[in-house]
Amino acid sequence: MQQKSEKKATGPRRRRRRNRLRTCRTDERTMAQRGISGGKLFITAVYLVAMCRAVPVNDLLDRASQRSDKMHSLSTLLTQEMDSHFPPYGRMQMPRPADCHTSGLLTPNDKEQALQVSESDLMSLARSLLRGWVDPLAVLSTNAITLPHPAKSSISSKIQELQEHSKSLADGLDILSSKMGPAAQAISILPYTGGTDLGQDRVTILNKFNFLLSCLRRDSHKIDSFLKVLRCRAAKLQPELC
Amino acid sequence: MDPEDVLLRQTGPMPSGAPKGRKRTMLRDSGDIGAPAASRPQIYYCRSPNMEVFTCWWHPVEQQAVYVLTYSKDTGPQLECPDYTSGGLHSCYFDKSHTSIWTYYCMTVTAMTPHRNYTSQQHCLDVVEIVEMEAPANLSVSLRDAGGDEVGHSTLLSWTYPAPEVLREGWITLVYELQYRRVGEDDNWKAKHPLREPHVELFGLRPGDYVVRVRCRSHNSRLWSKWSATLLVSVPNRLPAGKVLVLVLVVGVGAVALLVIAFGVIPQSRRIKDYFLPPIPKPRITGIDPLLLKKGNFDEINRHFSNFHGYRPPSYSVELWDQVSADGIYLSTPRDCGILDRDRGTSVAIQNLFPVQNSSPYVCGTPPYCAVPPEAFAALQDAPSPWQQPETAFISGSDYSTMVRLGVPDASVSAPDPGRAPVQDFYTCVQLMRDSGEVHLVPCLPAPYCHDFLLPPVPDAAKREEEEKKSKRLAEYQARKNAAKDDDDDDRSNAADPLLPVSPDDTRGSEGRF
């Protein structure tokens, strides 16, 4: 929650970028003053400029992937908490991906396909998925308060946390995508048509809740994987980030 | 097939989180061939080591059978297992081309015996849910000096992931957990978690033997890998060589310094002290033995000194100084310098320079030592000014009645003679007075100086205040001049050393004493 402000392009980040640029400029100056030969100087300058420009995006991507990691672990915890009091009979009826409201989005199905997708498309996919979960999360949140489940307060607070993380992650990805070009800006709309009411009787409500949570878990895993691939690709100069 | 062979062949990896199928296998009776319903195959464990391929294992039936695994992806057609051998016996291996993640696999195993087919329960999974990494390998340790402020050794533990190519593109990101414990304490594991790098540095390990192990997990999976092979770490209990040297040096230098002080400095301490802090000369009075001055009998000293003119033996009672004022006059603040005209007394405008200790009334006015020419004095008689006709002032608690005159050049008091002639050349004024009859005299200023103060007495509040200020200033000047003198007086009254150096001023001032 306290990292929310980092996602916005506010003072701290701008200042940080400015500081980095300042150090980059001083680096360049010192390099120039050392009187390196012309060719080497050019290459070093290019390297420094590339590094200077790449570092902020790296940092942002790192934070974004940390945020998405947190989101995914939260959704996993939610599922576990739902199952802790009821036998996982609902587990056997795992939702078919085609049933989730986000199934219309074409995502890569395995690693090879994922590695072939361009960065902008990966970013666009992640953002579309995030955007598509804003409404369902609100539905989950309102229904969690009256959920016929013993751990409903804990579930409700986790869903609220999820909403906050999702919101800040969406903001951050908006900023990141603005650096990546128009392809990253495109978002597919994934409307949620399930309605605000989850059902009338206890079993239906719980089933629907479980179903939504499973879809959420899958989608948060997708977002997390895409962002991690993006982070690794952007961190060519820093392989330890992979 | 021999039942024992069946039992022995259930080798396949036995995971830590294997479901209850394993127990069922072990409990199966070798002679129980015709057992109903318990002898269907069961898929008990599926695992993906890198989110690209996965394998599933099942428990076979007792009879000899041929196993067929069929699966379907989402709502697609039924397909058969592509590879029955790579994963071992009773397994199905799905390679990259057959693995899709974020898709729903549902599979069943059918055991086809000559008599009948046994079909297992349907087992559904999503590959992302079964991601379990390999255990880390090559756990190694290196001991080094802990740099900086730490004492002792730092233990650097590092390991590697056996298949690092999996981590290259960021498809899988690992988080590690390291546990260590002392050799004797079997259950007291301490954990370091989460670790993103395949190395960690432990500080502050007490000397002894430790057991260390590490495991890893994909970031977005729930399943931990198996523990790595444990490593035995011995932390030595010697200080590193560098620290020993430093210790020896410090101790040696300290010992030498101590010896030098003990044998060199202390015997010469007197000389050293005299060199740095030269002694202040003791008081000496020619003709008198200095030892007497240091610690003599007071009687003797008084006897010696009694022939000094004006010497008074110190008294040891704290006597308070009263200010000279008429009894009963009462003024609250110096601001309202008006006088309360009382029946018997007049106001005596003597400035109180020092706070009195017994809350006597405070009277304000001009300093007592301003000489007023008689004509001016006469002119002021009508106005309700502080300058009124002097009268006798009775000082409480004393045997004396003193006459105090304002503005009269002579304010020196001599007790047994109230009606003394006023004007004298020697300007001494009484400032404070004691119960015992002593007065504190201050030199007065000559008349010209006082002119400022005694100009037309306009009963104007502002002017009065102005005059007040001037008089105060003057009084302060006087006070500064008399500060030393007063200190001496106080000292004398407070039983201090009677042999302080006496200033020449004092001897002059003390002439006025009784």
Side-chain angles (χ1 to χ4, degrees):
Chain A
M1 267 66 71
Q2 53 267 41
Q3 297 174 16
K4 222 197 273 190
S5 58
E6 294 162 358
K7 289 287 171 215
K8 307 215 164 50
T10 48
R13 204 194 290 134
R14 277 216 200 92
R15 249 181 270 128
R16 224 185 309 136
R17 211 177 333 141
R18 239 184 287 134
N19 288 336
R20 284 212 190 84
L21 288 173
R22 215 178 291 143
T23 49
C24 291
R25 283 198 211 103
T26 47
D27 285 346
E28 290 170 8
R29 237 179 284 135
T30 47
M31 293 290 275
Q33 282 164 8
R34 290 215 191 112
I36 310 176
S37 67
K40 272 198 195 165
L41 176 64
F42 176 72
I43 291 173
T44 333
V46 166
Y47 175 81
L48 280 173
V49 166
M51 240 180 66
C52 289
R53 220 179 288 147
V55 165
V57 173
N58 248 353
D59 194 35
L60 293 175
L61 269 175
D62 193 33
R63 287 174 199 277
S65 69
Q66 282 175 19
R67 190 58 63 97
S68 71
D69 203 66
K70 188 83 174 79
M71 267 186 68
H72 179 65
S73 66
L74 268 175
S75 58
T76 317
L77 281 174
L78 265 174
T79 327
Q80 282 175 350
E81 200 147 353
M82 285 291 295
D83 293 338
S84 64
H85 289 271
F86 296 99
Y89 74 98
R91 277 286 206 93
M92 298 310 278
Q93 308 158 18
M94 250 161 72
R96 316 252 154 195
D99 298 342
C100 289
H101 71 286
T102 51
S103 58
L105 192 65
L106 283 176
T107 51
N109 269 331
D110 57 25
K111 179 178 174 183
E112 280 170 25
Q113 287 180 20
L115 293 182
Q116 282 163 11
V117 178
S118 72
E119 286 103 355
S120 317
D121 290 338
L122 281 174
M123 179 62 75
S124 166
L125 287 172
R127 292 179 67 213
S128 313
L129 283 171
L130 264 182
R131 192 65 62 84
W133 272 98
V134 170
D135 292 333
L137 271 176
V139 169
L140 281 173
S141 177
T142 50
N143 280 287
I145 304 168
T146 55
L147 195 68
H149 191 282
K152 64 170 178 266
S153 56
S154 159
I155 287 171
S156 174
S157 67
K158 282 196 177 61
I159 290 180
Q160 276 181 349
E161 226 182 304
L162 253 177
Q163 275 182 302
E164 287 167 14
H165 281 294
S166 160
K167 174 82 174 51
S168 67
L169 183 60
D171 292 341
L173 289 184
D174 286 345
I175 292 161
L176 265 174
S177 63
S178 65
K179 295 183 194 293
M180 290 173 74
Q185 307 267 36
I187 294 186
S188 318
I189 306 294
L190 304 162
Y192 175 65
T193 52
T196 53
D197 191 16
L198 291 186
Q200 299 308 315
D201 62 309
R202 193 164 161 269
V203 175
T204 322
I205 293 177
L206 286 175
N207 273 344
K208 196 92 194 292
F209 212 85
N210 265 320
F211 168 74
L212 276 175
L213 283 182
S214 311
C215 284
L216 176 62
R217 208 166 82 238
R218 173 176 292 132
D219 286 339
S220 65
H221 190 275
K222 279 189 191 175
I223 295 168
D224 190 43
S225 302
F226 297 157
L227 286 178
K228 288 205 160 58
V229 170
L230 267 178
R231 176 177 74 173
C232 190
R233 272 200 222 167
K236 286 193 193 66
L237 299 168
Q238 290 168 275
E240 67 267 10
L241 272 187
C242 271
Chain B
M1 191 189 297
D2 208 10
E4 274 111 0
D5 283 343
V6 170
L7 278 169
L8 281 172
R9 273 209 208 106
Q10 321 250 320
T11 42
M14 293 286 171
S16 44
K20 37 196 191 310
R22 185 170 158 214
K23 211 174 12 165
R24 244 179 77 198
T25 312
M26 295 313 211
L27 290 175
R28 211 182 290 164
D29 206 338
S30 52
D32 194 359
I33 296 180
S39 58
R40 46 194 295 199
Q42 191 197 13
I43 301 171
Y44 67 93
Y45 182 51
C46 292
R47 179 190 169 217
S48 166
N50 50 13
M51 220 156 47
E52 295 175 65
V53 298
F54 73 104
T55 318
C56 281
W57 290 268
W58 64 84
H59 290 304
V61 293
E62 302 104 343
Q63 306 95 325
Q64 191 176 13
V66 173
Y67 296 93
V68 170
L69 185 141
T70 52
Y71 71 95
S72 64
K73 284 207 275 190
D74 285 343
T75 48
Q78 291 274 327
L79 302 166
E80 197 185 332
C81 169
D83 185 338
Y84 285 101
T85 53
S86 302
L89 199 59
H90 308 306
S91 70
C92 180
Y93 173 76
F94 295 82
D95 61 357
K96 284 188 199 181
S97 53
H98 291 92
T99 310
S100 309
I101 50 176
W102 300 312
T103 51
Y104 202 54
Y105 281 77
C106 279
M107 53 187 73
T108 55
V109 167
T110 313
M112 295 187 293
T113 62
H115 308 288
R116 50 167 292 190
N117 291 348
Y118 301 94
T119 312
S120 71
Q121 257 185 341
Q122 193 180 58
H123 185 82
C124 294
L125 57 87
D126 189 341
V127 176
V128 299
E129 309 264 320
I130 57 170
V131 174
E132 186 186 325
M133 312 304 300
E134 305 273 346
N138 295 340
L139 184 57
S140 63
V141 66
S142 85
L143 291 164
R144 347 180 250 213
D145 279 348
D149 297 333
E150 299 277 339
V151 175
H153 297 271
S154 82
T155 318
L156 179 67
L157 293 156
S158 55
W159 55 90
T160 59
Y161 187 71
E165 62 275 5
V166 160
L167 312 175
R168 220 175 289 138
E169 294 98 345
W171 190 241
I172 303 250
T173 329
L174 289 181
V175 61
Y176 302 97
E177 181 188 355
L178 181 127
Q179 284 187 354
Y180 64 98
R181 67 170 171 87
R182 293 186 74 93
V183 164
E185 311 159 13
D186 276 342
D187 288 326
N188 192 13
W189 287 100
K190 294 193 186 58
K192 283 273 192 200
H193 168 75
L195 301 168
R196 281 193 64 177
E197 308 271 323
H199 52 81
V200 73
E201 201 160 358
L202 298 175
F203 295 102
L205 285 182
R206 284 178 291 135
D209 291 334
Y210 290 86
V211 174
V212 181
R213 62 183 185 181
V214 68
R215 64 180 178 179
C216 62
R217 169 175 75 92
S218 170
H219 247 121
N220 40 26
S221 163
R222 277 180 301 141
L223 304 171
W224 283 100
S225 72
K226 295 195 185 25
W227 286 107
S228 68
T230 59
L231 179 74
L232 198 67
V233 174
S234 288
V235 179
N237 51 10
R238 244 188 333 108
L239 282 177
K243 298 281 171 73
V244 170
L245 187 65
V246 167
L247 208 64
V248 163
L249 269 175
V250 167
V251 168
V253 166
V256 165
L258 214 65
L259 284 173
V260 163
I261 289 173
F263 293 116
V265 171
I266 290 180
Q268 306 290 326
S269 58
R270 178 130 294 256
R271 284 179 55 190
I272 295 170
K273 178 178 166 291
D274 284 347
Y275 177 72
F276 284 109
L277 303 169
I280 302 168
K282 295 278 186 296
R284 284 183 62 86
I285 300 176
T286 47
I288 295 188
D289 186 6
L291 282 179
L292 183 67
L293 292 177
K294 273 178 80 169
K295 290 193 220 185
N297 237 337
F298 272 145
D299 295 337
E300 274 188 41
I301 294 170
N302 287 338
R303 206 170 15 93
H304 278 288
F305 285 173
S306 57
N307 50 356
F308 285 168
H309 177 59
Y311 172 77
R312 203 181 133 268
S315 62
Y316 296 95
S317 62
V318 175
E319 297 188 51
L320 303 172
W321 284 97
D322 268 351
Q323 66 175 45
V324 182
S325 68
D327 188 35
I329 297 290
Y330 179 61
L331 280 175
S332 53
T333 60
R335 256 201 202 281
D336 46 84
C337 276
I339 325 133
L340 293 179
D341 215 310
R342 300 227 14 206
D343 299 336
R344 50 182 192 124
T346 61
S347 73
V348 173
I350 291 182
Q351 188 122 34
N352 183 22
L353 290 178
F354 306 98
V356 241
Q357 285 147 334
N358 59 351
S359 66
S360 313
Y362 186 115
V363 182
C364 54
T366 60
Y369 35 78
C370 274
V372 177
E375 3 4 305
F377 182 78
L380 303 176
Q381 272 196 10
D382 325 334
S385 65
W387 306 297
Q388 293 207 353
Q389 198 156 15
E391 276 191 3
T392 314
F394 294 89
I395 285 89
S396 58
S398 76
D399 297 335
Y400 300 109
S401 62
T402 57
M403 175 144 81
V404 178
R405 289 178 194 219
L406 263 193
V408 177
D410 164 41
S412 70
V413 179
S414 62
D417 192 4
R420 227 160 98 178
V423 181
Q424 285 188 358
D425 288 335
F426 179 67
Y427 297 135
T428 318
C429 308
V430 175
Q431 196 175 50
L432 298 170
M433 182 135 178
R434 250 199 207 158
D435 283 350
S436 59
E438 280 180 50
V439 290
H440 183 235
L441 302 174
V442 298
C444 297
L445 291 172
Y449 192 89
C450 292
H451 221 63
D452 301 341
F453 294 83
L454 302 175
L455 283 182
V458 181
D460 191 27
K463 277 253 171 145
R464 221 185 295 164
E465 276 184 27
E466 200 184 339
E467 275 142 10
E468 283 289 11
K469 283 186 204 139
K470 284 189 193 165
S471 60
K472 273 198 186 102
R473 256 183 275 134
L474 191 64
E476 279 162 22
Y477 165 81
Q478 284 299 323
R480 259 181 272 122
K481 255 193 99 184
N482 296 326
K485 207 179 286 193
D486 212 42
D487 282 346
D488 292 341
D489 295 340
D490 284 342
D491 281 349
R492 274 211 191 100
S493 69
N494 288 329
D497 191 349
L499 303 169
L500 288 171
V502 174
S503 67
D505 290 347
D506 220 23
T507 51
R508 221 189 320 130
S510 59
E511 274 169 30
R513 292 180 186 268
F514 297 111

